Amino acid sequence: MADHQGPHPAVHDGELIKRSLTKPDAFESVFNRHYPAVLRFCIGRVGHSEAPDVAADTFLRAFDRRHRFDADQPTSLPWLFGNAANVSRERI
């Protein structure tokens, strides 16, 4: 499955996350699509040195809790930012 990067992805995040419940590798597309934005968000919250660890922990948490995501949502970025904010807050 090709993952179209851009303003109108071929498969939206909700569908990818829903698929990942039975095929965990599908979550990789969500990671690839949003890691740069989540990393930038984390840099703003915890600085350059801690940001990669916080971003990684954000995606681990999101993966573990993906069953809670509303699969009707086309983008998971707000949800990921919320997870990143919580992970950041827990590290401070």
Side-chain angles (χ1 to χ4, degrees), residues 7-56:
H8 303 290
V11 179
H12 71 71
D13 290 353
E15 179 60 30
L16 290 169
I17 292 171
K18 186 168 132 181
R19 285 181 193 174
S20 78
L21 294 173
T22 57
K23 297 181 181 184
D25 289 349
F27 197 81
E28 182 179 2
S29 292
V30 175
F31 175 86
N32 291 336
R33 187 178 287 171
H34 296 304
Y35 180 80
V38 170
L39 180 62
R40 285 190 302 273
F41 179 85
C42 292
I43 289 169
R45 305 225 11 140
V46 297
H48 286 275
S49 64
E50 292 290 321
D53 288 340
V54 172

Short mmCIF file of all heavy atoms in Angstrom, two decimals, residues 7-56:
data_model
loop_
_atom_site.label_atom_id
_atom_site.label_comp_id
_atom_site.label_asym_id
_atom_site.label_seq_id
_atom_site.Cartn_x
_atom_site.Cartn_y
_atom_site.Cartn_z
N PRO A 7 -1.39 17.03 1.28
CA PRO A 7 -2.58 17.56 1.95
C PRO A 7 -3.77 16.61 1.91
O PRO A 7 -4.65 16.71 2.74
CB PRO A 7 -2.87 18.85 1.18
CG PRO A 7 -2.18 18.72 -0.12
CD PRO A 7 -1.01 17.79 0.10
N HIS A 8 -3.80 15.69 0.95
CA HIS A 8 -4.91 14.75 0.84
C HIS A 8 -4.37 13.33 0.74
O HIS A 8 -4.28 12.77 -0.34
CB HIS A 8 -5.77 15.09 -0.38
CG HIS A 8 -6.30 16.49 -0.35
ND1 HIS A 8 -7.27 16.90 0.53
CD2 HIS A 8 -5.95 17.58 -1.06
CE1 HIS A 8 -7.51 18.19 0.34
NE2 HIS A 8 -6.72 18.62 -0.60
N PRO A 9 -4.00 12.75 1.88
CA PRO A 9 -3.44 11.40 1.84
C PRO A 9 -4.42 10.41 1.23
O PRO A 9 -5.63 10.56 1.37
CB PRO A 9 -3.18 11.07 3.30
CG PRO A 9 -3.40 12.30 4.07
CD PRO A 9 -4.12 13.28 3.22
N ALA A 10 -3.88 9.40 0.58
CA ALA A 10 -4.72 8.37 -0.05
C ALA A 10 -5.58 7.65 0.98
O ALA A 10 -6.72 7.34 0.72
CB ALA A 10 -3.83 7.38 -0.80
N VAL A 11 -5.03 7.41 2.15
CA VAL A 11 -5.75 6.76 3.24
C VAL A 11 -5.61 7.64 4.46
O VAL A 11 -4.49 7.98 4.86
CB VAL A 11 -5.17 5.35 3.52
CG1 VAL A 11 -5.91 4.70 4.68
CG2 VAL A 11 -5.21 4.48 2.28
N HIS A 12 -6.72 8.04 5.06
CA HIS A 12 -6.61 8.95 6.20
C HIS A 12 -6.22 8.20 7.46
O HIS A 12 -6.28 6.97 7.55
CB HIS A 12 -7.86 9.82 6.37
CG HIS A 12 -9.10 9.13 6.83
ND1 HIS A 12 -9.25 8.66 8.11
CD2 HIS A 12 -10.27 8.88 6.20
CE1 HIS A 12 -10.46 8.15 8.25
NE2 HIS A 12 -11.09 8.25 7.10
N ASP A 13 -5.77 8.97 8.45
CA ASP A 13 -5.23 8.41 9.69
C ASP A 13 -6.22 7.49 10.39
O ASP A 13 -5.83 6.45 10.92
CB ASP A 13 -4.83 9.53 10.65
CG ASP A 13 -3.63 10.31 10.20
OD1 ASP A 13 -2.99 9.94 9.20
OD2 ASP A 13 -3.31 11.32 10.86
N GLY A 14 -7.47 7.89 10.43
CA GLY A 14 -8.47 7.06 11.12
C GLY A 14 -8.52 5.66 10.54
O GLY A 14 -8.58 4.67 11.28
N GLU A 15 -8.47 5.58 9.24
CA GLU A 15 -8.50 4.27 8.59
C GLU A 15 -7.22 3.48 8.90
O GLU A 15 -7.26 2.29 9.17
CB GLU A 15 -8.68 4.42 7.08
CG GLU A 15 -8.70 3.10 6.33
CD GLU A 15 -9.81 2.15 6.76
OE1 GLU A 15 -10.89 2.60 7.18
OE2 GLU A 15 -9.59 0.92 6.67
N LEU A 16 -6.08 4.16 8.86
CA LEU A 16 -4.81 3.49 9.16
C LEU A 16 -4.78 2.97 10.59
O LEU A 16 -4.34 1.85 10.85
CB LEU A 16 -3.64 4.44 8.93
CG LEU A 16 -3.35 4.79 7.48
CD1 LEU A 16 -2.34 5.94 7.40
CD2 LEU A 16 -2.83 3.57 6.72
N ILE A 17 -5.26 3.79 11.52
CA ILE A 17 -5.26 3.38 12.92
C ILE A 17 -6.23 2.22 13.13
O ILE A 17 -5.93 1.27 13.85
CB ILE A 17 -5.54 4.58 13.84
CG1 ILE A 17 -4.35 5.55 13.78
CG2 ILE A 17 -5.81 4.13 15.27
CD1 ILE A 17 -4.57 6.87 14.46
N LYS A 18 -7.38 2.29 12.47
CA LYS A 18 -8.34 1.18 12.55
C LYS A 18 -7.70 -0.11 12.01
O LYS A 18 -7.81 -1.17 12.63
CB LYS A 18 -9.59 1.54 11.77
CG LYS A 18 -10.71 0.55 11.87
CD LYS A 18 -11.96 1.18 11.29
CE LYS A 18 -12.63 0.25 10.33
NZ LYS A 18 -13.83 0.85 9.73
N ARG A 19 -7.03 -0.02 10.88
CA ARG A 19 -6.35 -1.19 10.31
C ARG A 19 -5.30 -1.72 11.26
O ARG A 19 -5.07 -2.93 11.35
CB ARG A 19 -5.66 -0.83 8.99
CG ARG A 19 -6.56 -0.65 7.84
CD ARG A 19 -5.77 -0.33 6.60
NE ARG A 19 -6.64 0.15 5.55
CZ ARG A 19 -6.21 0.61 4.40
NH1 ARG A 19 -4.91 0.67 4.13
NH2 ARG A 19 -7.06 1.04 3.49
N SER A 20 -4.61 -0.80 11.95
CA SER A 20 -3.51 -1.22 12.82
C SER A 20 -3.98 -2.07 14.00
O SER A 20 -3.16 -2.73 14.64
CB SER A 20 -2.73 0.00 13.32
OG SER A 20 -3.39 0.65 14.38
N LEU A 21 -5.26 -2.06 14.29
CA LEU A 21 -5.78 -2.89 15.38
C LEU A 21 -5.62 -4.38 15.07
O LEU A 21 -5.44 -5.18 15.97
CB LEU A 21 -7.24 -2.55 15.68
CG LEU A 21 -7.48 -1.14 16.22
CD1 LEU A 21 -8.97 -0.85 16.31
CD2 LEU A 21 -6.79 -0.95 17.56
N THR A 22 -5.68 -4.72 13.78
CA THR A 22 -5.48 -6.12 13.37
C THR A 22 -4.16 -6.32 12.63
O THR A 22 -3.65 -7.43 12.58
CB THR A 22 -6.65 -6.61 12.49
OG1 THR A 22 -6.77 -5.75 11.36
CG2 THR A 22 -7.94 -6.64 13.28
N LYS A 23 -3.63 -5.24 12.06
CA LYS A 23 -2.36 -5.29 11.34
C LYS A 23 -1.48 -4.15 11.86
O LYS A 23 -1.46 -3.06 11.30
CB LYS A 23 -2.58 -5.15 9.84
CG LYS A 23 -3.38 -6.28 9.27
CD LYS A 23 -3.59 -6.15 7.78
CE LYS A 23 -4.43 -7.33 7.34
NZ LYS A 23 -4.61 -7.35 5.91
N PRO A 24 -0.79 -4.39 12.97
CA PRO A 24 -0.03 -3.33 13.64
C PRO A 24 0.92 -2.54 12.74
O PRO A 24 1.16 -1.36 12.99
CB PRO A 24 0.73 -4.08 14.74
CG PRO A 24 -0.11 -5.28 15.02
CD PRO A 24 -0.69 -5.67 13.69
N ASP A 25 1.43 -3.16 11.68
CA ASP A 25 2.35 -2.45 10.78
C ASP A 25 1.70 -1.24 10.11
O ASP A 25 2.40 -0.34 9.65
CB ASP A 25 2.90 -3.38 9.72
CG ASP A 25 3.89 -4.39 10.27
OD1 ASP A 25 4.31 -4.24 11.45
OD2 ASP A 25 4.26 -5.33 9.54
N ALA A 26 0.38 -1.20 10.04
CA ALA A 26 -0.30 -0.06 9.42
C ALA A 26 -0.04 1.24 10.17
O ALA A 26 -0.10 2.33 9.60
CB ALA A 26 -1.81 -0.33 9.34
N PHE A 27 0.28 1.13 11.46
CA PHE A 27 0.55 2.34 12.26
C PHE A 27 1.83 3.04 11.80
O PHE A 27 2.00 4.23 12.03
CB PHE A 27 0.64 1.98 13.75
CG PHE A 27 0.50 3.15 14.66
CD1 PHE A 27 -0.74 3.67 14.97
CD2 PHE A 27 1.62 3.77 15.20
CE1 PHE A 27 -0.87 4.77 15.81
CE2 PHE A 27 1.51 4.86 16.04
CZ PHE A 27 0.26 5.37 16.35
N GLU A 28 2.71 2.31 11.13
CA GLU A 28 3.95 2.90 10.63
C GLU A 28 3.68 4.09 9.71
O GLU A 28 4.41 5.08 9.74
CB GLU A 28 4.77 1.85 9.90
CG GLU A 28 6.10 2.37 9.39
CD GLU A 28 6.91 1.30 8.69
OE1 GLU A 28 6.45 0.16 8.53
OE2 GLU A 28 8.03 1.64 8.27
N SER A 29 2.62 4.03 8.93
CA SER A 29 2.28 5.14 8.04
C SER A 29 1.90 6.39 8.84
O SER A 29 2.23 7.50 8.44
CB SER A 29 1.15 4.76 7.10
OG SER A 29 1.59 3.78 6.19
N VAL A 30 1.21 6.20 9.94
CA VAL A 30 0.86 7.33 10.81
C VAL A 30 2.13 7.94 11.38
O VAL A 30 2.31 9.16 11.40
CB VAL A 30 -0.12 6.90 11.93
CG1 VAL A 30 -0.39 8.04 12.90
CG2 VAL A 30 -1.41 6.37 11.33
N PHE A 31 3.02 7.08 11.86
CA PHE A 31 4.31 7.54 12.38
C PHE A 31 5.07 8.33 11.32
O PHE A 31 5.52 9.46 11.57
CB PHE A 31 5.14 6.35 12.87
CG PHE A 31 6.52 6.73 13.30
CD1 PHE A 31 6.75 7.16 14.59
CD2 PHE A 31 7.59 6.67 12.41
CE1 PHE A 31 8.03 7.54 15.00
CE2 PHE A 31 8.87 7.03 12.81
CZ PHE A 31 9.09 7.46 14.10
N ASN A 32 5.23 7.75 10.15
CA ASN A 32 5.99 8.42 9.08
C ASN A 32 5.36 9.75 8.67
O ASN A 32 6.07 10.71 8.39
CB ASN A 32 6.11 7.51 7.86
CG ASN A 32 7.00 6.32 8.11
OD1 ASN A 32 7.87 6.34 8.97
ND2 ASN A 32 6.78 5.26 7.35
N ARG A 33 4.07 9.80 8.68
CA ARG A 33 3.34 11.00 8.26
C ARG A 33 3.49 12.13 9.27
O ARG A 33 3.60 13.30 8.89
CB ARG A 33 1.87 10.62 8.10
CG ARG A 33 0.98 11.68 7.53
CD ARG A 33 -0.43 11.15 7.37
NE ARG A 33 -0.50 10.20 6.27
CZ ARG A 33 -1.54 9.44 5.99
NH1 ARG A 33 -2.62 9.49 6.75
NH2 ARG A 33 -1.54 8.61 4.97
N HIS A 34 3.50 11.81 10.57
CA HIS A 34 3.39 12.85 11.59
C HIS A 34 4.60 13.01 12.52
O HIS A 34 4.63 13.95 13.31
CB HIS A 34 2.15 12.61 12.44
CG HIS A 34 0.88 12.72 11.67
ND1 HIS A 34 0.53 13.85 10.95
CD2 HIS A 34 -0.13 11.83 11.48
CE1 HIS A 34 -0.63 13.66 10.36
NE2 HIS A 34 -1.05 12.44 10.66
N TYR A 35 5.58 12.13 12.42
CA TYR A 35 6.73 12.26 13.32
C TYR A 35 7.39 13.64 13.24
O TYR A 35 7.68 14.23 14.29
CB TYR A 35 7.77 11.15 13.08
CG TYR A 35 8.95 11.29 14.00
CD1 TYR A 35 8.87 10.85 15.32
CD2 TYR A 35 10.13 11.89 13.58
CE1 TYR A 35 9.94 10.99 16.19
CE2 TYR A 35 11.20 12.05 14.45
CZ TYR A 35 11.10 11.60 15.75
OH TYR A 35 12.16 11.76 16.60
N PRO A 36 7.65 14.19 12.05
CA PRO A 36 8.31 15.51 12.02
C PRO A 36 7.54 16.59 12.78
O PRO A 36 8.14 17.38 13.52
CB PRO A 36 8.40 15.84 10.52
CG PRO A 36 8.41 14.50 9.85
CD PRO A 36 7.47 13.65 10.69
N ALA A 37 6.22 16.62 12.64
CA ALA A 37 5.42 17.63 13.33
C ALA A 37 5.42 17.39 14.84
O ALA A 37 5.51 18.34 15.63
CB ALA A 37 3.99 17.64 12.80
N VAL A 38 5.32 16.14 15.24
CA VAL A 38 5.34 15.81 16.68
C VAL A 38 6.70 16.16 17.27
O VAL A 38 6.78 16.72 18.37
CB VAL A 38 4.96 14.34 16.92
CG1 VAL A 38 5.20 13.93 18.37
CG2 VAL A 38 3.50 14.10 16.54
N LEU A 39 7.77 15.87 16.55
CA LEU A 39 9.10 16.22 17.04
C LEU A 39 9.23 17.73 17.23
O LEU A 39 9.73 18.19 18.26
CB LEU A 39 10.17 15.70 16.09
CG LEU A 39 11.61 16.01 16.51
CD1 LEU A 39 11.95 15.37 17.85
CD2 LEU A 39 12.57 15.55 15.43
N ARG A 40 8.78 18.52 16.25
CA ARG A 40 8.83 19.99 16.38
C ARG A 40 8.03 20.45 17.59
O ARG A 40 8.47 21.32 18.35
CB ARG A 40 8.32 20.66 15.11
CG ARG A 40 9.29 20.61 13.96
CD ARG A 40 8.84 21.49 12.79
NE ARG A 40 7.53 21.14 12.27
CZ ARG A 40 7.31 20.23 11.34
NH1 ARG A 40 8.31 19.55 10.82
NH2 ARG A 40 6.09 19.98 10.91
N PHE A 41 6.86 19.87 17.78
CA PHE A 41 6.02 20.20 18.94
C PHE A 41 6.79 19.90 20.23
O PHE A 41 6.80 20.71 21.16
CB PHE A 41 4.73 19.38 18.88
CG PHE A 41 3.79 19.61 20.02
CD1 PHE A 41 2.88 20.66 20.00
CD2 PHE A 41 3.79 18.76 21.11
CE1 PHE A 41 2.00 20.87 21.06
CE2 PHE A 41 2.91 18.96 22.17
CZ PHE A 41 2.02 20.02 22.14
N CYS A 42 7.43 18.75 20.28
CA CYS A 42 8.18 18.35 21.48
C CYS A 42 9.37 19.26 21.73
O CYS A 42 9.68 19.58 22.88
CB CYS A 42 8.62 16.89 21.36
SG CYS A 42 7.25 15.71 21.40
N ILE A 43 10.04 19.67 20.68
CA ILE A 43 11.16 20.61 20.83
C ILE A 43 10.68 21.88 21.52
O ILE A 43 11.34 22.39 22.43
CB ILE A 43 11.82 20.92 19.47
CG1 ILE A 43 12.59 19.70 18.96
CG2 ILE A 43 12.74 22.14 19.58
CD1 ILE A 43 13.06 19.82 17.52
N GLY A 44 9.53 22.35 21.13
CA GLY A 44 8.96 23.54 21.74
C GLY A 44 8.60 23.36 23.21
O GLY A 44 8.57 24.32 23.98
N ARG A 45 8.33 22.14 23.60
CA ARG A 45 7.91 21.87 24.99
C ARG A 45 9.06 21.50 25.90
O ARG A 45 9.07 21.90 27.06
CB ARG A 45 6.86 20.77 25.01
CG ARG A 45 5.70 21.09 24.12
CD ARG A 45 4.36 20.90 24.56
NE ARG A 45 4.03 20.62 25.91
CZ ARG A 45 3.00 21.15 26.52
NH1 ARG A 45 2.26 22.04 25.90
NH2 ARG A 45 2.70 20.82 27.74
N VAL A 46 10.02 20.70 25.40
CA VAL A 46 11.08 20.19 26.28
C VAL A 46 12.49 20.48 25.79
O VAL A 46 13.44 20.12 26.47
CB VAL A 46 10.92 18.66 26.52
CG1 VAL A 46 9.61 18.36 27.22
CG2 VAL A 46 11.07 17.88 25.23
N GLY A 47 12.63 21.10 24.64
CA GLY A 47 13.95 21.42 24.12
C GLY A 47 14.51 20.32 23.21
O GLY A 47 13.98 19.22 23.15
N HIS A 48 15.59 20.68 22.53
CA HIS A 48 16.17 19.78 21.52
C HIS A 48 16.69 18.47 22.09
O HIS A 48 16.56 17.43 21.45
CB HIS A 48 17.30 20.50 20.77
CG HIS A 48 16.82 21.52 19.81
ND1 HIS A 48 16.43 21.21 18.53
CD2 HIS A 48 16.63 22.86 19.94
CE1 HIS A 48 16.03 22.30 17.91
NE2 HIS A 48 16.14 23.31 18.75
N SER A 49 17.29 18.50 23.26
CA SER A 49 17.93 17.29 23.77
C SER A 49 16.92 16.22 24.20
O SER A 49 17.16 15.02 24.00
CB SER A 49 18.88 17.61 24.92
OG SER A 49 18.17 18.14 26.02
N GLU A 50 15.80 16.61 24.75
CA GLU A 50 14.79 15.65 25.23
C GLU A 50 13.73 15.31 24.18
O GLU A 50 13.05 14.29 24.30
CB GLU A 50 14.08 16.21 26.47
CG GLU A 50 14.96 16.31 27.69
CD GLU A 50 15.32 14.95 28.25
OE1 GLU A 50 14.46 14.06 28.26
OE2 GLU A 50 16.48 14.79 28.67
N ALA A 51 13.59 16.16 23.17
CA ALA A 51 12.49 16.02 22.23
C ALA A 51 12.43 14.67 21.52
O ALA A 51 11.34 14.09 21.40
CB ALA A 51 12.53 17.15 21.21
N PRO A 52 13.54 14.11 21.04
CA PRO A 52 13.43 12.81 20.36
C PRO A 52 12.88 11.71 21.27
O PRO A 52 12.07 10.88 20.82
CB PRO A 52 14.86 12.51 19.91
CG PRO A 52 15.50 13.85 19.77
CD PRO A 52 14.90 14.67 20.89
N ASP A 53 13.28 11.71 22.53
CA ASP A 53 12.76 10.70 23.46
C ASP A 53 11.27 10.92 23.74
O ASP A 53 10.50 9.96 23.81
CB ASP A 53 13.53 10.72 24.78
CG ASP A 53 14.93 10.16 24.66
OD1 ASP A 53 15.21 9.42 23.69
OD2 ASP A 53 15.76 10.48 25.53
N VAL A 54 10.88 12.16 23.89
CA VAL A 54 9.47 12.47 24.15
C VAL A 54 8.62 12.11 22.93
O VAL A 54 7.54 11.52 23.06
CB VAL A 54 9.28 13.94 24.56
CG1 VAL A 54 7.80 14.31 24.64
CG2 VAL A 54 9.97 14.20 25.89
N ALA A 55 9.12 12.42 21.74
CA ALA A 55 8.38 12.07 20.52
C ALA A 55 8.24 10.56 20.39
O ALA A 55 7.16 10.05 20.06
CB ALA A 55 9.08 12.66 19.30
N ALA A 56 9.32 9.82 20.67
CA ALA A 56 9.25 8.36 20.60
C ALA A 56 8.24 7.82 21.61
O ALA A 56 7.42 6.96 21.28
CB ALA A 56 10.62 7.76 20.85
#
